[in-house]
Every structure is written in C-alpha cells, then in structure tokens.
Amino acid sequence: MNAEPLKEHLKKEGATLVGVGDVTKALTGEIVHLNRGIALAVNRSLGSETVEQLVKLQRAAEIWLKERGFRSLSIPPDSDRIKGKLIARLYKLFSHKTAATCSGLGWIGKNGLLINKRYGPKLSWATVLTNAPLKPDSPVTESLCGNCDLCVRHCPSGAVTGSIWSRREPFKKLVNYERCRSLKTNRRLFEEKPNCGLCVTICPYSRKGLSNKARSGK
Amino acid sequence: MADEAKKKEILEKLRNGVIQYDEDTCKEAAQEALDAGLDANEAIFDGLVSGMEEVGRLFEAQEYFVPEILMCADALYAGLDILKPHCKQMDIGVKGAVVIGTVEGDVHDIGKNLVKMMFDVAGFTVYDLGRDVPLDKFVEEQLKTDSELVCLSAMMTTSMVGMPKVIEKIKEKNPNCMIMIGGAPTSKELADKWGADGYAEDASNALKEAIKMVSFLKKLRDEKAARQQ
Ligand code: B12
Ligand code: B12
Ligand code: SF4
Ligand code: SF4
C-alpha cells in the first residue's frame, strides 16, 4: 500500500518529517498486529505547544487510517507523563526513536538521541502504530557520528559514554540516564527550567541543518 | 423525568461511546444523562456497562485486541467519573465493612470496581485491595479491619482457582466472617462447592446479597448477646 498520500497529508498538516517503518522486530505480544510505525517529527523543542501539535498530527493519521478500515494506536510524545489511563500501560512498550530509525529518518547518536541528517537531534517525535500494510521506508542501520565526540566531552553530568549505536545492537548502553536525570533534579532547585539539553544544541548536525536548508531530502 | 425516546438515545450514546472507545462521547453523554434527569445508576449499567459487554464479545470474536479493550475501558471510566458522584445514596438501614479485591494473577478490575461502587453508595465501609491481590492479603486485611464481608472477584478460569484457598484460610482464622465471590467464570455452584457464603452475577445483586448476609450476621450476634445476658 502506497504511503505517499498519507505522508503528503501529514506534511500539509504541519509535520516536518514523516516516515513509515517496518517495526515488527520491536513489538511485544499485545501489539504484534500493529507492525507499521508512522514516525512523525516537528522541528521544535518539546514544550506543551509542541505536544499539542504532535497530538493533532496523530489524530489526522488515525482518521486517515480509520477511513480506510485500519487500526491504529498512537504513542503520545509525552508518553511518560500520561498517568491514570489504562492505555498508558502500553506506551512504554514502544519508543519513538525506534519508529524513527526504522523509517529511515535518522540514527541514534552518541548522545542517545535520534539524529536526523538535516535537523540533527532538535526534532520532537511522536508515533502512530498501525496494521495498514503501508510500504515501509528502508531503515537506517549505522551511526553517522563518526569521530565526533562533542556531546561526550561537553555533557555537564558526564552521562554520555561515547559508545556507538547500530541496528545490530540497538540497546547498547549509550547514556547513563541516572546521571542525566540527577543533573536535572539538582538544577530544578535553582532554575525554573530544569532541561539541560546541551547534547541537543552542541551536535553539529543541529547547526548543519541551518546552512543546508537549500539541500533537499531528509 | 426524561421521556423514553430521549432516554434511549442517551443510553445508546453511552454504550456506543464505550464500544467506539471515544472518551469525549462518553463524557458528553454522561453529562446529557445528568441534565436530562436520568438515574445515574441506570446510565451506568444500561449504558456504559452494556457497552463493555459488547466489547467483550468483540474481543472474543477477535475484532478487538488489547489496545482497543484498554481504550474502551478508559472511555467507560471517563463516563463513570461523571456519573458516579450522582448515584443516589441509599439508606438501607444496614451498614457493614467489606474487604474487596481481584485475586492473584488477575488484573481485570472493571467489574470489581462496579461492585465496589454499589457498596459505596449504600454507605458500606469498603477496603479495596485492588487487583492481582496476593491470596494471604485478603486474610490479613479481614483480620485487621474486622470486616463482616470479604468479596473476591476473578475473571479468568486460571485465576479463580485461588478462591477456594482464600475461603479456606479466612474460615479457619475467622469463622464468623462471610465471603462472597463473583466474576464471569464463577457461579452459584462453584460458590457452594468452595464453601463461600454468597455469589452474585452482577453488581446490583452483589449489593442485595451483601445486605442479606450482613443482616444475617447482625441477627446472629444479637441473638448471641441476648443469650449471654
Ligand atoms: C524517559 C525519557 C527520558 C529520561 C530517560 C531516558 C531513557 N531512555 O531512559 C530522561 C529524563 C533522562 C530524558 C532526557 C532527555 N530526553 Co527524553 N524521553 C524519555 C521518553 C519519555 C521515554 C524513553 C524511553 O525510556 N524509551 C525506552 C528505551 C528502551 O528506548 P530508547 O532509549 O528511547 O531508544 C532506544 C530504541 O529506540 C533503540 N532502537 C533504535 N532503533 C531501533 C530499531 C529496532 C528494530 C529496535 C529493536 C530498537 C531500536 O535504540 C534506542 C537507544 O538505545 C521519550 C519519549 C518516548 N516515548 O520515546 C523521551 C525522548 C526520548 N526524550 C527526548 C528528549 C529531547 C530528551 C532531552 C534532550 C530533554 C532535555 N531537553 O533535557 C534529554 C536528553 C537526554 C539524552 N541524552 O538522551 C526526545 C528525543 C528527541 C530526539 N531527537 O531523539 C524524546 C523522543 C521525546 C519526544 N517525544 O520527542 N528522557
Ligand atoms: C476488559 C478485559 C481485559 C482488560 C482488563 C482491563 C481492566 N483494568 O479490567 C485487559 C486488556 C487488561 C485484559 C487482559 C487480559 N485478558 Co481480558 N478481558 C476483558 C474483557 C473483554 C471484559 C471484562 C470486563 O471488564 N467486563 C465488563 C464488566 C462490567 O463485567 P464483569 O467483569 O463480568 O463484572 C460484572 C460481574 O462479573 C460481577 N462481578 C465481578 N466481580 C465480582 C465480584 C463479586 C464479589 C461479585 C459478587 C460480583 C462480581 O459484577 C460486575 C458488574 O456487574 C473480557 C471478556 C468478557 N466477555 O468478559 C476478557 C477476558 C476476561 N480476558 C481474558 C484473557 C485471556 C486476558 C489476557 C490473558 C490477555 C489475552 N491473552 O487476551 C489478559 C490477562 C491479564 C491478567 N493476568 O489478568 C479471557 C479470560 C479467559 C479465561 N481464562 O477464563 C476473557 C474472558 C476473554 C476471552 N474470552 O478470551 N482483559
Ligand atoms: S541532557 Fe544534558 S545532562 Fe543529559 S545527556 Fe544531554 S547534555 Fe548530558
Ligand atoms: S554531537 Fe557528535 S557524537 Fe554527539 S550525537 Fe552529535 S554527531 Fe554524534
């Protein structure tokens, strides 16, 4: 099934990037039938407005699929904040970054984030899982971080270990999240905004994006 | 009182809201039910719960899978949250304390929560242990709270086998406490076989049974007290 019309539709609705991945390998029993992951990204940091925008895009995808007789399950961008709902138990079964690499939209950087060639790690993501047999894009299998180690050297909590991701070893430990988290907790005592996010801004792919605007593609 | 056509329409909307896992429709219909003066209990059981029954059938027919079921349950709860505070508080003369929970290995708690709600509106004191409750916890909690009644819920043939074990232990520690079981795979026959004192097939009958049981216990106690004087 051709995925282009859906991608066009979602881009018109405001998505920066849309990809379709075959996510079979990453699924557990409860959701095995939903083996296509639609990865949605917008080019802005994850604030409440971004969440709203991504959720709106997810609705648009759900409606498009439903009209054609397919099932869907949306994993919201802020999946960890949704409490008290039964469906939230399923959210932790799937990560947005998985959908993104499977859809060919980027690799996992040394900083543990999804790095897109054009926008770097600056994107915010959401996923819609579906049973529609959409033609998948080809997955990204290797990291393109190369010799760069800016995020390793500049992370204020020393959380980024420097290991390199590949699809063969997708869960290799890249970031010591305890450290990253503890920095945030400490900062919260002094600052309004607890986010550090240095590993986002420091990444050269974040900046390359600006100068490469003319270059088309992903 | 709402006229019949309007009432039917609202109940249908509640039912469909659950079946189509549409939280917004459920909330809207729940509010309409209240505005139209429908009885909240009726809206819950003939609307929301009747929808969940259909969902059960769709699940068995493999039309629905786990994600849909969970979303349907979220829709049911969205409506329930609005309707529950408007359930008529009943004054039934008898009051008692109940320990309730879904047995070990079983996470189905929608039915159990409805039974609990009926006890709440009847003014019972309810100790809710939640779902997937270790069998010994029922025994401990009963002793701790000295409740007259213990209610066990199970929705699977695999989990209901824990019930006779709990019943035996409670009866051993406290023969005066009464036990009621329920949930789709259980029956009056099983209740009798396992030595439970009561069984009910749905939430409103569960309350009726409970009232009977608590009244009976009170009567026993009074008689005993009279004899001792
Ligand atoms: C919990 C969480 C955190 C926690 C802990 C992170 C963790 N992984 O434990 C904390 C609070 C520390 C955190 C921090 C941040 N986070 Co955060 N976080 C999340 C959240 C809610 C869940 C992540 C999670 O636990 N996933 C489960 C684990 C198992 O998977 P994972 O590590 O995410 O990803 C692995 C798989 O995808 C796998 N993989 C990749 N491809 C494939 C393919 C196959 C076939 C398979 C099997 C696997 C596989 O590789 C990945 C790395 O090992 C996600 C939102 C979401 N629902 O995904 C956002 C998310 C990951 N966070 C995000 C962001 C932006 C941040 C911060 C920059 C926030 C900030 N400004 O400070 C920092 C960055 C820290 C860092 N260097 O990673 C973004 C990432 C955007 C991007 N470009 O990648 C996300 C996606 C939110 C969003 N909706 O956009 N975060
Ligand atoms: C919703 C649901 C789920 C939800 C539960 C959400 C939740 N928080 O409760 C989720 C998706 C999590 C789920 C998971 C599973 N489920 Co399920 N689920 C159902 C479903 C569709 C509906 C149950 C329900 O809520 N009904 C609506 C309520 C209102 O009705 P009720 O529970 O019967 O309660 C009423 C009465 O029974 C009574 N009552 C209930 N408790 C008590 C207690 C007392 C004391 C009394 C007096 C009365 C009483 O009063 C209630 C109100 O009137 C049923 C199908 C069905 N037809 O029942 C399957 C069903 C129960 N599930 C089943 C199975 C197998 C599973 C899973 C193993 C997953 C799977 N492979 O499909 C897991 C089990 C996980 C676990 N360890 O428990 C089977 C059980 C088969 C069996 N072995 O007997 C069923 C029967 C479906 C089927 N035919 O396959 N499930
Ligand atoms: S968010 Fe800050 S502390 Fe966490 S990994 Fe990135 S740079 Fe390090
Ligand atoms: S800063 Fe360098 S090493 Fe870190 S993610 Fe970006 S490209 Fe990779």
Side-chain angles (χ1 to χ4, degrees), chain A residues 33 71 85-87 89-90, chain B residues 23 63 65 67-68 73-74:
Chain A
H33 56 301
R71 294 169 199 280
K85 281 209 190 181
L86 293 167
I87 190 69
R89 280 198 252 153
L90 297 187
Chain B
E23 280 185 38
E63 276 288 318
F65 296 110
E68 285 87 10
D74 280 327

Side-chain angles (χ1 to χ4, degrees), chain B residues 12-228:
Chain B
E12 194 62 19
K13 192 166 170 185
L14 285 164
R15 183 180 142 89
N16 284 334
V18 173
I19 299 172
Q20 287 156 11
Y21 45 91
D22 186 338
E23 280 185 38
D24 293 336
T25 300
C26 279
K27 284 186 200 158
E28 212 178 277
Q31 196 52 53
E32 280 169 26
L34 294 177
D35 295 344
L38 245 78
D39 177 46
N41 257 308
E42 209 175 329
I44 292 171
F45 287 98
D46 297 344
L48 297 171
V49 172
S50 115
M52 201 63 203
E53 281 162 8
E54 178 60 21
V55 171
R57 277 189 286 278
L58 289 166
F59 189 63
E60 270 143 46
Q62 300 204 332
E63 276 288 318
Y64 276 12
F65 296 110
V66 173
E68 285 87 10
I69 302 292
L70 289 172
M71 290 189 273
C72 291
D74 280 327
L76 176 138
Y77 279 124
L80 194 62
D81 281 345
I82 295 174
L83 292 168
K84 203 164 141 185
H86 297 271
C87 284
K88 268 196 238 82
Q89 279 291 333
M90 290 178 266
D91 190 12
I92 45 163
V94 231
K95 297 239 170 357
V98 193
V99 172
I100 190 169
T102 306
V103 298
E104 195 166 275
D106 199 329
V107 304
H108 298 90
D109 62 358
I110 299 170
K112 184 268 295 170
N113 286 346
L114 289 168
V115 175
K116 176 189 170 201
M117 191 191 80
M118 293 302 290
F119 285 138
D120 279 335
V121 297
F124 278 62
T125 309
V126 186
Y127 301 98
D128 182 8
L129 299 178
R131 56 183 186 220
D132 192 7
V133 179
L135 302 180
D136 287 333
K137 186 87 179 101
F138 287 102
V139 187
E140 278 166 33
E141 189 74 11
Q142 193 280 326
L143 285 174
K144 205 171 86 195
T145 60
D146 195 28
S147 299
E148 286 95 345
L149 203 59
V150 176
C151 286
L152 307 173
S153 177
M155 284 299 286
M156 303 196 295
T157 45
T158 45
S159 62
M160 72 177 187
V161 295
M163 289 177 156
K165 296 178 196 157
V166 186
I167 297 170
E168 193 185 328
K169 279 189 189 160
I170 293 180
K171 290 284 172 188
E172 195 185 295
K173 293 257 162 75
N174 186 355
N176 288 329
C177 157
M178 291 207 152
I179 300 165
M180 175 158 59
I181 67 168
T186 63
S187 63
K188 178 83 181 69
E189 288 68 40
L190 283 175
D192 291 343
K193 187 172 147 205
W194 291 338
D197 306 281
Y199 162 80
E201 59 184 20
D202 59 33
S204 35
N205 282 309
L207 179 60
K208 284 189 202 137
E209 273 292 295
I211 292 169
K212 267 195 238 156
M213 291 159 86
V214 173
S215 315
F216 179 72
L217 269 181
K218 292 240 153 87
K219 212 175 106 211
L220 270 189
R221 261 187 229 166
D222 291 348
E223 279 172 11
K224 204 168 156 198
R227 254 184 281 129
Q228 276 167 1

